[in-house]
Amino acid sequence: MSIDSKLLSILVCPVCKSELEYRREAEELVCTVERLAFPVRDDIPVLLQSEARQLTEEEL
């Protein structure tokens, strides 16, 4: 399964309110502005800053 496209169109980064990019293989929503990756667990985005991981330069 994957995240609904309508849901993806309204989700924003909880830190800076920028658009998020869904990376299906990693099951993450990525904010390139803040360089954060938010996990998607059981098709539910976890948009908590405390749950996000910092992206490396290569991952951007």
Side-chain angles (χ1 to χ4, degrees), residues 23 33 35 59:
R23 295 189 181 170
V33 175
R35 297 178 176 213
E59 292 177 301

Side-chain angles (χ1 to χ4, degrees), residues 6-58:
K6 288 182 184 179
L7 176 61
L8 279 176
S9 70
I10 62 170
L11 288 177
V12 295
C13 174
V15 178
C16 69
K17 310 300 183 235
S18 295
E19 190 174 310
L20 294 170
E21 172 191 334
Y22 180 51
R23 295 189 181 170
R24 187 178 311 240
E25 300 80 30
E27 293 188 4
E28 294 177 323
L29 289 167
V30 171
C31 175
T32 56
V33 175
E34 293 292 326
R35 297 178 176 213
L36 294 173
F38 298 91
V40 176
R41 297 184 186 127
D42 298 322
D43 296 326
I44 300 170
V46 182
L47 297 177
L48 298 171
Q49 188 174 3
S50 61
E51 292 287 323
R53 68 177 184 85
Q54 199 70 37
L55 293 172
T56 64
E57 200 59 41
E58 295 81 34

